Amino acid sequence: MPSRTAALTLMAALPLGLAPAQTPDDLPAEWETTCATAESVYCIASATITPSGGSPQSLDSAGLTVSAATLSDDYGDWVRWSVGDWAGKPAPVTGGTVELVLRTGTFVPRFTNATAAGLRVSRTVTDGRYELTISGRATPTAWRSDTDCTAGYSCGDIDTTADPTTYRFEGRTQDLEGSAGVYTTGLDGAYLATDAQARADLLTYEPGGSPPVSLGVLGNPQLDATGEAVRNFVTLFLPGPWLEAAGITAQDAAATGFDLVTSGDATVHHRVTATATDGGVRLEAPDIGLGADLAAAAFHRRASQATNATAPGAPLAVSAVGGTGTAMVFWQPPSSGGGSAAGRYRARAYPSSGGGTVVASCETADNWCTIGGLDAGGTYHVAVSAVNALGEGDPAARVPVLATAVPVPDPAPSESPSPVPSPSPVPVDPTEPSPSTSPSPEPTSDVHVPYAPQDIELTPGARRITVGWVVPDSDGGSAITAYTARAFRTATGGTPVASCQVPGNRYTCAITGLAGGQKHFVEVTAVNVAGSGPAPARVAATPWTVPGAPRSVTAKSSDRKVTAGWKAPAADGGSAITGYRAELSGRSGVVARCTAPATSRTCTVRKLKKGTNLTLRVLAVNAAGVSAPSKAVKIKVKD
């Protein structure tokens, strides 16, 4: 970070009218929705919408409402603004352009974080009084409303269906008066707009760092109300003072470009467009598929390392065959892989042909899998989607399946042989005809079901168990066509909670979607033309979960910094801890953080404001995710 002298030099170089000012003491809790006179402040001077293909009109005439209010914390004051009542409005309105003009008086509107599409923020100052102009469009969001998601720790798993999609045009603008000086100057005029935050979060700004700008909370619920994977956007405007501190021009920054990197289950580079505009540089990432778990995002000042890859297309030729409480699902790879090979597929069962929440699912690298845990006799609708490094693509159209086996009639009392059981479908190579075109040979009187697989071995992972086995002593006189591994919550009996299935020439598969930290009991059966054989005794394993919370947290302050200390959690969740995160919060949420490797028990946050009262919490990280926060510790920043 730059020295105090450098920061003061930068402040002196700011254009006239942009120098930091003290936060006014008379900010009201609720702002007026109209400005009564030309001299009025703390009010909304104008609130209009231009519907698609229409002319500007007041929000009232479009049936929309507007509000503004003041929020305060130890790092400064915020103006929270919002346009509401979007439900049921026609497409020209929900797709229209909103413009708000707020008179903020001597309050300096420096940094804006918003949920809005196409956001642009500007300001003017006359006789020391500021006017903030905000424009953009409402954006559809599908965030869950549970406490963990809102707090920014987790938003579900691969089967999580979000709340019904709603439109939002809202945000918060702060003066940064309570932040470190480098924020007040370098981010003077910056704004962030995204639908990938369950809650507004501060930028982390480290001049000369790599990356110089990062976001602590990005993510999304896995599925929207229609069952499609949620995609997100991020728009970030870095103003002239930020570029000046970096020693570059807007044109140079746009020419070099920016590389947006997110780190969740995998490190992914995303496409970013950088444009020199309004004296700064505008960064736009239009397509980010983050999945349910929240992740950090970093903007590096370098040419983007992203490829032209996108999420894959929908799988083709989806079909399903029902069994007792199961559905065996088949598909062909998508015609478009998005430029990155589809490494996995997800098949999900729903109670209806549209909408609804996921009843059960399976995930595999093959072109088929078996969904277990269904009600025998129930009709389900199955959707299949492909996943590559850029995320999950749109699902194929749902196909219906009856989750019960066709009963075999009792034989008539005669000397004739018993009816032949219906063969189980056999998975095939994607280049071959579908299973229905290649019937399996009928069993003879010498054929029986296979013996049980042997030497079952389980390898736990993050919310999954990888199962391995050795072939049975006898295949029953007919080649084994498939193996099925099922996970139960009990050592005997019960209903499987998840399963995986592979062809007869494979001897391992992964059962996914399991509850971490809970013991599961796994059995494996072999299938040939005569049917499914017996299972050996179940073997137990516990999928990884997130670590326990760090213990004995301490906080010390001196020289405008806070040093966090802690002890390792009592439990690592089954997977080694890979690092720690210490977060300092004010009343509006996390305002600063530091990280430490697994071997460390301390980290320090610097350049804080003297006298600020903060709350420290520490979290542990392993391969399964981020722990719950430690007990809170109060700390006051000392000089």
Side-chain angles (χ1 to χ4, degrees):
M1 290 188 178
S3 66
R4 178 174 176 82
T5 301
L8 291 173
T9 300
L10 176 58
M11 292 168 62
L14 290 172
L16 186 63
L18 298 186
Q22 294 297 317
T23 301
D25 296 327
D26 60 344
L27 289 173
E30 300 294 329
W31 290 39
E32 297 295 332
T33 56
T34 56
C35 295
T37 69
E39 292 76 25
S40 297
V41 294
Y42 312 141
C43 56
I44 302 174
S46 175
T48 63
I49 184 170
T50 304
S52 301
S55 301
Q57 63 185 83
S58 69
L59 292 181
D60 289 345
S61 64
L64 301 172
T65 57
V66 62
S67 64
T70 301
L71 298 175
S72 300
D73 63 20
D74 291 322
Y75 272 70
D77 293 290
W78 304 68
V79 179
R80 180 180 62 191
W81 45 268
S82 177
V83 174
D85 291 330
W86 294 97
K89 298 300 184 292
V93 172
T94 57
T97 299
V98 175
E99 182 177 274
L100 303 181
V101 179
L102 278 67
R103 292 183 186 166
T104 67
T106 56
F107 176 92
V108 185
R110 290 193 173 89
F111 171 71
T112 295
N113 184 310
T115 305
L119 183 73
R120 292 190 180 275
V121 179
S122 61
R123 69 188 180 196
T124 57
V125 57
T126 303
D127 296 331
R129 295 185 175 185
Y130 288 84
E131 196 168 79
L132 179 69
T133 300
I134 305 159
S135 65
R137 304 182 306 280
T139 184
T141 60
W143 279 99
R144 289 180 52 177
S145 58
D146 62 88
T147 303
D148 280 351
C149 181
T150 303
Y153 296 119
S154 170
C155 284
D157 56 29
I158 62 171
D159 291 343
T160 299
T161 301
D163 290 340
T165 298
T166 57
Y167 283 88
R168 293 170 62 186
F169 185 87
E170 60 190 39
R172 304 192 304 176
T173 301
Q174 70 168 191
D175 62 357
L176 299 174
E177 188 64 34
S179 301
V182 65
Y183 279 77
T184 309
T185 53
L187 296 184
D188 195 0
Y191 58 82
L192 167 70
T194 178
D195 58 349
Q197 286 185 339
R199 61 187 174 108
D201 198 27
L202 289 172
L203 288 170
T204 298
Y205 173 35
E206 296 186 36
S210 182
V213 180
S214 60
L215 311 174
V217 179
L218 284 181
N220 52 245
Q222 192 72 32
L223 304 171
D224 65 15
T226 69
E228 295 191 359
V230 177
R231 313 294 296 180
N232 294 108
F233 70 86
V234 175
T235 298
L236 175 62
F237 177 75
L238 297 173
W242 187 91
L243 297 169
E244 186 174 348
I248 56 175
T249 66
Q251 289 72 23
D252 289 341
T256 300
F258 286 77
D259 189 19
L260 172 57
V261 183
T262 58
S263 297
D265 289 340
T267 298
V268 180
H269 299 264
H270 303 273
R271 290 175 296 167
V272 180
T273 299
T275 307
T277 182
D278 299 331
V281 60
R282 182 182 176 90
L283 312 178
E284 295 180 275
D287 186 17
I288 301 177
L290 295 167
D293 291 331
L294 299 175
F299 282 91
H300 295 268
R301 191 163 60 84
R302 65 191 183 202
S304 175
Q305 298 178 25
T307 66
N308 290 324
T310 63
L316 305 174
V318 177
S319 62
V321 178
T324 304
T326 65
M328 184 178 288
V329 191
F330 302 87
W331 58 85
Q332 301 292 337
S335 58
S336 170
S340 175
R344 290 174 291 153
Y345 296 91
R346 292 172 181 157
R348 300 181 176 98
Y350 293 86
S352 61
S353 59
T357 57
V358 179
V359 176
S361 66
C362 56
E363 183 171 347
T364 180
D366 296 318
N367 67 324
W368 73 305
C369 67
T370 298
I371 302 175
L374 305 177
D375 291 334
T379 297
Y380 296 88
H381 299 263
V382 177
V384 182
S385 58
V387 183
N388 67 9
L390 275 296
E392 182 173 352
D394 292 339
R398 298 180 188 181
V399 298
V401 61
L402 181 64
T404 184
V406 178
V408 178
D410 292 331
S414 67
E415 297 299 323
S416 59
S418 299
V420 176
S422 300
S424 299
V426 180
V428 296
D429 186 273
T431 60
E432 297 296 327
S434 64
S436 60
T437 63
S438 302
S440 301
E442 296 182 357
T444 68
S445 58
D446 296 328
V447 173
H448 56 80
V449 296
Y451 287 7
Q454 303 181 77
D455 299 334
I456 310 301
E457 292 188 358
L458 305 182
T459 304
R463 297 185 291 276
R464 66 173 56 208
I465 294 175
T466 300
V467 189
W469 58 87
V470 174
V471 298
D473 286 338
S474 171
D475 64 7
S478 177
I480 293 174
T481 57
Y483 291 95
T484 301
R486 298 179 178 90
F488 298 78
R489 294 305 310 280
T490 56
T492 59
T495 301
V497 295
S499 64
C500 59
Q501 192 167 42
V502 293
N505 61 352
R506 292 185 57 184
Y507 313 109
T508 182
C509 68
I511 305 176
T512 61
L514 302 176
Q518 299 182 11
K519 182 181 288 187
H520 290 75
F521 299 85
V522 176
E523 67 179 28
V524 183
T525 56
V527 179
N528 69 4
V529 70
S532 179
R538 294 176 186 172
V539 181
T542 302
W544 300 341
T545 187
V546 298
R551 302 172 298 163
S552 303
V553 173
T554 61
K556 297 179 180 179
S557 181
S558 64
D559 299 328
R560 294 174 56 214
K561 64 179 183 287
V562 169
T563 298
W566 60 89
K567 290 183 179 179
D572 64 7
S575 175
I577 291 173
T578 57
Y580 294 93
R581 179 193 304 167
E583 296 183 339
L584 290 168
S585 301
R587 286 193 296 271
S588 68
V590 176
V591 295
R593 58 173 56 87
C594 58
T595 59
T599 55
S600 181
R601 298 292 181 271
T602 182
C603 68
T604 301
V605 180
R606 295 176 172 82
K607 294 189 180 295
L608 300 172
K609 183 181 179 182
K610 174 186 174 183
T612 303
N613 293 308
L614 298 172
T615 300
L616 170 70
R617 295 178 177 87
V618 183
L619 306 93
V621 183
N622 70 0
V626 182
S627 74
S630 68
K631 291 182 179 179
V633 175
K634 302 291 186 180
I635 184 69
K636 185 173 183 178
V637 179
K638 297 180 180 179
D639 199 351

